[in-house]
Amino acid sequence: MPRIATRNYSADTARSLAGSGIPPLLARVYAARGIAVADELAGGLARLLPFERMKGARAMAVRLAEAIAAGKKLLVVADYDADGATACAVAVRGLRMFGARVEFIVPNRFEYGYGLTPEIVRLAAGAEPDLIVTVDNGIASVDGVAEANRLGIEVLVTDHHLPGDALPQAACIVNPNQPGCDFPSKHLAGVGVMFYVLLALRAELRERGAFAGREAPNLAVLLDLVALGTVADVVRLDQNNRILVQQGLARIRAGRACAGVAALLQIARKQAAQASTYELGFVVGPRLNAAGRLEDMSLGIRCLLSDDPEEAATLAQQLDELNRARRDIEADMQESALAALERVDPSEGSSLVIYNEDWHQGVIGILASRLKDRFHRPVIAFAQANEAELKGSGRSIPGLHLRDALDLVAKRHPHLIQKFGGHAMAAGVSVRAEHFEAFRAAFEAVAQELLSPADLTKVIETDGELAAAEFSLDMVRALEQQVWGQGFPQPSFEGEFTVQAQRVVGEKHLKLKLAAHRTQFEAIRFFNADELPERIRAVFKLAINEYQGNTSLQLIIEHCEPV
C-alpha cells in the first residue's frame, strides 16, 4: 500500500511569499518546491541564465560563424525521441535563419542504434558534409567522432546526457554536464542546449557585423519547439527550464506555434489557446515519439520543419496513426508482461528485469515506465535487437540512479554489458542474449545494495488538505497560470470524503459525487472503475470541467483508500 505524505515546507518562507501578494495556498505550494522569493517565479526571457556561462558555447559559435561565412555544408545528426526531434528542428531552423547550408539525418533506431556511431558517420559521409553537429547525443560517441575525424569531417557535439569516462575528440562540445562546465542549470534538455548555442551564435554574428542594417533573427520563434522538447524529455523544471517552457507555451497559446506543433494539437482535438505542459507531455510528445518508436523519426522532424499548414496536417495525421498503433502494441506488451509477472512477487526483489522475444524494441521504454509506476521498482525491459543481442530500456525510482547502477554492473562484470547510457531515471543498455540471466542477477544485486526498504515503499506526496474556500474555480485558474512538471510537480491535495454516488463511464472510469465541508463535489477517477466504500481518503488534483457550455469544479482522484 502506498504511503501518503505531506510535502515539507518552511512556514516562514510561505508567510514571506504570502506577504508579497501571493495567495496563501500558492505560497505554501511554492515554498514546498523550494521557492524562496517571489522573483524566482518570474518568467521573462531576461531572467534566462546567460549563454556565456556554458562551457564551449562561445567557441562553438565561432566555428559555426566561420563555417557559415565560408559556405560550408552542415549536417545535423539527431536522436530519435521527441527531445532529439525538437533539437534537430531548432538547429535546422535556427542555423538557416543565420544563412547556413544545413540538412539533417536521424538514425533509424532499429538499424543503427543510438548516437553518432561509426556506421552513422559513414552514412552521413555520403552527403559530403564539412561539419557534423550532433543534437541530444554525441557525448558518449568516442568511436563515432574518431571515425568522422578519420574521414576529415569536423564534429560539434551538443548534448545533455552524462559523459562517460572518456570524452569524444570533437572540435567542440557544449553540454552543461561535461567536466568543467559551471552552467548553473544541469537540467537543460538537448533542445535547450541547442537553443543556447544559437544564442551564442547570434551574439558572435552580431559582433562580426552580420546584421548591419537589419534586425538580428528573433530566436524566440523557436521557443514552442524548445518547450515541447523540454517537457517531453521529462527533465527537471528548474527556474531556467520553467522560463523556456512558459515562454514557449505563451507562443502556442497566442497562436504563434510552428505549423507542425499546431497540426499535432489539432489532430488531437486540443485547443492551442488552452495548451499546458500536459498537452506537450501527454498529447503532442507521444505522437512525435511514435515515429521514432515504430518507424523513422525523420517523419516527425519534417512535420516540425514544415511551414506549410497543409503539409504539416498530413504529416501530423501520419504521426497520429503511428501513435494509435504504438498504443495497441504497448497494450499487448503490458498484458503479456503482467501475465508473466503473475508467477513472480515483485516485492520479493528490488528490481524487475524482463524480456520477451515478441516485444517491440521501440516500445519497451514505455512498458518499463508503466511497470515501474505499477510496482515501484526500477525496471529494465528487453526486446530482441538481433539473434545475438538484446536491447533494454530502463526506468527508475527515487533512490537509484539508473545510469550509475548500470556503470556499477559494468565495472563489476565487464563482460555482461555491451553498451549503456542515460540519466538517473532513464537509461538504455544492450547485452548479449546468452548473458541475460547473469545481467538480471547482477542488476538485482546492485539494486538491493543501493535501495533501502523505505525507497521501495511508494510515497504519494501531497500539498496537504484544503480549506473549504480553497475548493474554487479561481484557485484552479491560479494554479493553471504556473508551469508544472518534473521536479516542480503540479499540486495535489488530500482529504476525507463521503462517497454519495458512483457510476462507471467510458467502461473504465469512475464518475463520483463526493461530500466534504458540507459541500458536494463532482469527481472522476480515470482508468479505475473499482467500486469505492462509503468513506475514503483521497489524493486529488483540482480541475475545471467544461461540458455543454457549463464550467464547474472537478476533482481528479489519483489515489484513494478506505477510511
Side-chain angles (χ1 to χ4, degrees):
M1 175 71 71
R3 179 171 63 87
I4 299 173
T6 304
R7 292 185 177 92
N8 293 319
Y9 67 94
S10 164
D12 289 341
T13 300
R15 279 192 292 271
S16 175
L17 290 170
S20 65
I22 296 173
L25 174 60
L26 286 177
R28 185 177 91 206
V29 166
Y30 291 143
R33 285 152 183 76
I35 300 297
V37 294
D39 281 354
E40 293 179 47
L41 299 167
L45 287 173
R47 294 183 176 272
L48 277 180
L49 294 167
F51 69 81
E52 289 87 354
R53 299 192 65 176
M54 184 88 72
K55 180 180 178 181
R58 177 68 78 174
M60 189 173 290
V62 169
R63 288 182 178 272
L64 287 170
E66 291 173 348
I68 292 170
K72 292 186 175 181
K73 184 175 182 180
L74 310 180
L75 184 69
V76 176
V77 178
D79 186 18
Y80 41 67
D81 65 1
D83 185 19
T86 52
C88 183
V90 164
V92 172
R93 283 183 173 275
L95 290 169
R96 285 176 179 170
M97 285 182 192
F98 298 129
R101 295 171 57 212
V102 57
E103 299 298 334
F104 77 90
I105 185 174
V106 57
N108 183 301
R109 75 195 300 163
F110 310 115
E111 295 181 42
Y112 297 102
Y114 168 78
L116 187 71
T117 61
E119 294 80 9
I120 282 297
V121 170
R122 289 191 285 271
L123 180 67
E128 299 183 343
D130 297 298
L131 285 87
I132 285 175
V133 181
T134 72
V135 291
D136 193 32
N137 75 94
I139 195 65
S141 301
V142 175
D143 294 340
V145 172
E147 179 67 5
N149 292 337
R150 186 185 71 80
L151 295 174
I153 305 172
E154 188 172 311
V155 179
L156 307 179
V157 169
T158 75
D159 201 353
H160 70 127
H161 294 92
L162 298 173
D165 295 333
L167 294 178
Q169 294 300 305
C172 191
I173 297 174
V174 178
N175 181 338
N177 291 301
Q178 70 175 307
C181 183
D182 66 354
F183 191 74
S185 170
K186 301 300 182 182
H187 306 291
L188 276 179
V191 67
V193 175
M194 189 63 227
F195 183 73
Y196 263 82
V197 169
L198 293 175
L199 292 175
L201 176 57
R202 183 176 61 181
E204 176 65 24
L205 290 172
R206 185 180 283 121
E207 288 181 10
R208 293 173 179 235
F211 310 124
R214 64 185 178 97
E215 287 289 328
N218 179 15
L219 294 176
V221 301
L222 303 173
L223 284 169
D224 58 331
L225 295 170
V226 177
L228 170 57
T230 299
V231 172
D233 210 44
V234 202
V235 294
R236 176 178 287 273
L237 292 190
D238 58 16
Q239 183 179 7
N240 208 62
N241 277 339
R242 289 201 305 276
I243 293 171
L244 292 172
V245 173
Q246 188 169 328
Q247 291 292 324
L249 280 171
R251 292 193 66 83
I252 294 171
R253 291 167 181 163
R256 293 185 289 170
C258 69
V261 170
L264 286 166
L265 283 168
Q266 189 170 18
I267 199 71
R269 299 180 180 178
K270 297 295 182 180
Q271 297 295 320
Q274 276 79 49
S276 68
T277 51
Y278 175 85
E279 278 73 30
L280 296 183
F282 296 98
V283 176
V284 179
R287 284 167 171 78
L288 194 57
N289 269 327
R293 293 190 185 283
L294 299 188
E295 289 192 6
D296 187 333
M297 184 48 96
S298 60
L299 176 67
I301 295 171
R302 286 194 290 118
C303 182
L304 299 180
L305 287 175
S306 177
D307 290 320
D308 179 349
E310 289 188 10
E311 179 189 40
T314 299
L315 295 169
Q317 177 67 44
Q318 295 176 42
L319 291 169
D320 187 63
E321 291 169 359
L322 283 174
N323 192 52
R324 293 175 190 275
R326 186 273 304 168
R327 284 201 298 253
D328 290 341
I329 293 169
E330 177 198 339
D332 290 342
M333 288 170 57
Q334 187 166 341
E335 184 177 343
S336 68
L338 293 176
L341 289 171
E342 285 180 357
R343 302 185 296 272
V344 178
D345 182 359
S347 66
E348 292 181 354
S350 298
S351 67
L352 285 173
V353 178
I354 54 177
Y355 159 67
N356 187 306
E357 62 182 7
D358 295 325
W359 287 348
H360 193 295
Q361 62 174 294
V363 187
I364 50 176
I366 299 176
L367 175 64
S369 181
R370 299 283 191 264
L371 296 178
K372 179 265 297 183
D373 290 341
R374 186 181 184 104
F375 297 111
H376 196 66
R377 295 290 187 275
V379 178
I380 303 179
F382 281 89
Q384 200 156 4
N386 53 54
E387 288 186 3
E389 182 183 357
L390 304 181
K391 182 173 292 186
S393 185
R395 299 294 184 269
S396 195
I397 60 175
L400 186 132
H401 190 297
L402 191 52
R403 187 200 171 278
D404 287 356
L406 290 170
D407 187 48
L408 197 54
V409 173
K411 285 181 168 63
R412 291 178 177 177
H413 310 276
H415 68 290
L416 286 185
I417 296 179
Q418 291 183 288
K419 55 186 176 182
F420 70 94
H423 302 290
M425 304 305 286
V429 58
S430 294
V431 303
R432 293 187 64 81
E434 64 198 64
H435 292 153
F436 173 73
E437 290 298 339
F439 170 81
R440 174 155 57 185
F443 185 78
E444 171 65 19
V446 167
Q448 287 188 11
E449 179 181 325
L450 298 178
L451 289 166
S452 69
D455 292 327
L456 296 172
T457 300
K458 185 174 184 178
V459 177
I460 300 175
E461 290 191 313
T462 81
D463 291 282
E465 299 190 2
L466 294 178
E470 292 170 335
F471 286 88
S472 71
L473 288 174
D474 287 343
M475 184 55 64
V476 182
R477 293 187 179 105
L479 291 169
E480 288 180 345
Q481 294 303 307
Q482 187 53 261
V483 170
W484 310 104
Q486 181 69 23
F488 201 77
Q490 182 180 357
S492 58
F493 306 98
E494 61 182 281
E496 293 188 7
F497 298 91
T498 299
V499 179
Q500 294 189 326
Q502 54 185 308
R503 61 187 174 89
V504 177
V505 295
E507 299 183 357
K508 52 188 175 182
H509 314 302
L510 198 61
K511 186 73 172 173
L512 301 158
K513 286 188 178 180
L514 305 178
H517 304 292
R518 299 180 181 177
T519 306
Q520 190 177 81
F521 302 101
E522 296 289 332
I524 191 164
R525 190 183 191 193
F526 289 115
F527 302 107
N528 192 324
D530 295 342
E531 186 176 358
L532 297 180
E534 183 180 356
R535 292 283 297 169
I536 60 170
R537 182 161 196 82
V539 175
F540 61 92
K541 285 185 169 68
L542 297 176
I544 293 175
N545 184 36
E546 295 182 351
Y547 183 68
Q548 294 183 341
N550 295 318
T551 300
S552 60
L553 178 72
Q554 180 172 249
L555 312 186
I556 309 295
I557 306 299
E558 299 181 319
H559 169 79
C560 61
E561 53 194 49
V563 174

